Amino acid sequence: MVRGKIRSLSVRDVRFPTSREQHGSDAMHTDPDYSAAYVIIETDAADGLKGHGLTFTLGKGTEVVVCAVDALSAHLVGRDLKDIVSNFRDFYRQLTSDGQLRWIGPEKGAIHLATAAVLNAVWDLWAKQEGKPLWKLLADMDPKQLVSCIDFRYITDALTEDEAYEILKNGKLGQKEREEQMLKQGYPAYTTSCAWLGYTDQQLTELCTKALKEGWTRFKVKVGADLPDDIRRCKLIRELIGPNNLMALAPLGIGVATGEQCHNRVMFKQFLQAKALQYLQIDSCRLGSVNENLSVMLMAKKFQIPVCPHAGGVGLCELVQHLILFDYICVSGSLENRMCEYVDHLHEHFKHPVVIKNAAYAVPQEPGYSTEMKEESVQQYQFPSGQVWKELTSEEQAKLE
């Protein structure tokens, strides 16, 4: 049962120096420091439960998102949680349609990343109070309640509220069997951890060899800086993984996979209407949390486009596993051409880290959205206000680690 009045919201700037070993590097982001604006909301409920949410960044600029979270906090503090989740569509609009704050959006950029962090914390708290992992909270909801969480503004030319309800109602058929299937075998994943663009050939060789021993059969390769070198690296990886494993790149006939930087449901709608993508990559922090991701997954179902989420970044695997499980169990009902990204970085900093078994996401069982970081990790990597990694001395950096 939903309970409590929100009495506080705090946000912290947490940064991990992943650029030092080139983790996360690609053609456009050559020195990413995996970071997060990390939100904690507390209520006056006797249970003492807290909601934890985050949005993913690459280091510099996290302080901007933190300021945006602070600006949005006035919409939460003092509100009953029950009032928020019982009219979630209205609350989503309050955050995204603030008459002054929307000027620096609307529904994109730092203000929308902040919206995701705040809403992720609300969903985490709601799921914890219900004693369910987020995917199960969603799966157990009545279709009408799910639809009531979605803002359909600007997308009714692609998906109406009635169409969304019919998709979710039809998704109830076979739901129990699909849920049992996921509990037994997990959701298929592919790994990006072997082939970041900044890795040396020796690293590629060692990591691909290790991944094969662990049972991985699907590999993503970062390309785009230099065509001849891209060809050379892809040839090397193909030789390493062999002809029978799937490499998420092919010289001809590959479909367009995009979405990790699509900033709202409207952009996804336009891509779908234009038939401009063949694999849709939702992101749990770029879009406006669960609410907006629901609308995109439902549009993908109508347009018969597989959802293959983006999960390269701190906490993204933990969050997106819930969304893709819900998509399969309640929306798509299919695993054809579907897989979820996985990167093997920074999971040790989470209270309930993602678990991979046989190259598949194991179904999380703990209540919440898997967003809670270990407090010692937050304290260790909380970033000093107004500074960036390269401005710190080596001694100062060592203290933060």
Side-chain angles (χ1 to χ4, degrees), residues 105-144:
E107 299 184 71
K108 62 180 182 293
I111 196 69
H112 208 45
L113 293 174
T115 298
V118 169
L119 289 172
N120 284 341
V122 172
W123 280 99
D124 178 60
L125 180 56
W126 185 9
K128 285 175 178 173
Q129 288 193 351
E130 296 290 352
K132 300 177 180 179
L134 180 87
W135 68 267
K136 183 63 172 172
L137 174 70
L138 295 173
D140 288 349
M141 278 190 196
D142 178 84
K144 287 185 178 179

Side-chain angles (χ1 to χ4, degrees), residues 19 105 112 132 135 155 165 169 172 197 244 250 280 295 308 322 339 358 360:
S19 62
H112 208 45
K132 300 177 180 179
W135 68 267
I155 63 170
Y165 172 75
K169 187 175 71 172
K172 288 293 182 182
L197 195 57
N244 297 321
L280 189 150
S295 68
C308 300
H322 293 270
M339 62 192 82
N358 301 317

Side-chain angles (χ1 to χ4, degrees), residues 254-315:
I254 190 171
V256 174
T258 192
E260 68 179 79
Q261 293 194 31
C262 285
H263 46 247
N264 58 37
R265 64 196 180 283
V266 180
M267 180 172 278
F268 275 114
K269 177 197 75 170
Q270 292 168 336
F271 273 115
L272 289 166
Q273 288 175 325
K275 299 180 180 179
L277 54 78
Q278 287 72 51
Y279 302 93
L280 189 150
Q281 293 183 286
I282 57 171
D283 185 286
S284 54
C285 295
R286 176 73 63 177
L287 294 180
S289 188
V290 178
N291 310 70
E292 193 165 33
N293 272 296
L294 287 173
S295 68
V296 176
M297 288 186 286
L298 288 163
M299 284 192 289
K301 170 65 175 179
K302 180 181 175 181
F303 284 81
Q304 294 298 300
I305 296 296
V307 174
C308 300
H310 170 241
V314 60

Side-chain angles (χ1 to χ4, degrees), residues 64-75:
V64 178
V65 183
V66 166
C67 288
V69 170
D70 283 332
L72 290 171
S73 64
H75 289 284

Side-chain angles (χ1 to χ4, degrees), residues 156-200:
T156 53
D157 55 327
L159 180 75
T160 67
E161 190 168 338
D162 288 341
E163 288 173 327
Y165 172 75
E166 286 300 316
I167 291 172
L168 290 167
K169 187 175 71 172
N170 292 335
K172 288 293 182 182
L173 300 174
Q175 177 178 322
K176 182 179 179 181
E177 291 76 13
R178 290 190 295 275
E179 187 173 319
E180 291 174 350
Q181 177 191 2
M182 288 293 98
L183 288 167
K184 290 179 181 178
Q185 69 184 47
Y187 196 93
Y190 68 88
T191 179
T192 307
S193 301
C194 298
W196 296 114
L197 195 57
Y199 283 178
T200 65

Side-chain angles (χ1 to χ4, degrees), residues 29-276:
H29 311 97
T30 57
D31 60 346
D33 284 325
Y34 278 5
S35 309
Y38 181 57
V39 173
I40 303 175
I41 57 176
E42 300 184 48
T43 75
D44 59 7
D47 56 29
L49 294 172
K50 300 177 183 181
H52 300 80
L54 59 84
T55 196
F56 170 63
T57 61
L58 292 184
K60 287 182 289 186
T62 310
E63 70 278 8
V64 178
V65 183
V66 166
C67 288
V69 170
D70 283 332
L72 290 171
S73 64
H75 289 284
L76 279 84
V77 179
R79 295 282 299 275
D80 286 330
L81 183 63
K82 183 177 180 181
D83 291 341
I84 290 174
V85 302
S86 64
N87 193 1
F88 223 147
R89 179 185 301 170
D90 183 64
F91 181 69
Y92 178 89
R93 288 180 177 177
Q94 288 179 40
L95 294 183
T96 58
S97 302
D98 182 295
Q100 296 180 4
L101 289 176
R102 76 181 306 275
W103 187 258
I104 57 174
E107 299 184 71
K108 62 180 182 293
I111 196 69
H112 208 45
L113 293 174
T115 298
V118 169
L119 289 172
N120 284 341
V122 172
W123 280 99
D124 178 60
L125 180 56
W126 185 9
K128 285 175 178 173
Q129 288 193 351
E130 296 290 352
K132 300 177 180 179
L134 180 87
W135 68 267
K136 183 63 172 172
L137 174 70
L138 295 173
D140 288 349
M141 278 190 196
D142 178 84
K144 287 185 178 179
Q145 186 179 14
L146 280 167
V147 168
S148 74
C149 297
I150 300 170
D151 187 353
F152 286 90
R153 291 181 302 178
Y154 321 126
I155 63 170
T156 53
D157 55 327
L159 180 75
T160 67
E161 190 168 338
D162 288 341
E163 288 173 327
Y165 172 75
E166 286 300 316
I167 291 172
L168 290 167
K169 187 175 71 172
N170 292 335
K172 288 293 182 182
L173 300 174
Q175 177 178 322
K176 182 179 179 181
E177 291 76 13
R178 290 190 295 275
E179 187 173 319
E180 291 174 350
Q181 177 191 2
M182 288 293 98
L183 288 167
K184 290 179 181 178
Q185 69 184 47
Y187 196 93
Y190 68 88
T191 179
T192 307
S193 301
C194 298
W196 296 114
L197 195 57
Y199 283 178
T200 65
D201 286 2
Q202 182 180 347
Q203 285 176 291
L204 297 179
T205 301
E206 291 174 353
L207 292 170
C208 284
T209 302
K210 181 174 180 286
L212 288 168
K213 291 179 180 178
E214 293 174 349
W216 289 98
T217 61
R218 308 173 187 91
F219 297 79
K220 179 177 177 179
V221 182
K222 289 288 187 177
V223 297
D226 178 78
L227 181 57
D229 194 54
D230 289 341
I231 295 171
R232 185 193 62 78
R233 291 172 71 251
C234 287
K235 181 180 179 181
L236 170 62
I237 292 169
R238 173 55 73 194
E239 291 173 351
L240 289 168
I241 67 174
N244 297 321
N245 289 314
L246 178 65
M247 185 165 67
L249 177 72
L252 298 171
I254 190 171
V256 174
T258 192
E260 68 179 79
Q261 293 194 31
C262 285
H263 46 247
N264 58 37
R265 64 196 180 283
V266 180
M267 180 172 278
F268 275 114
K269 177 197 75 170
Q270 292 168 336
F271 273 115
L272 289 166
Q273 288 175 325
K275 299 180 180 179

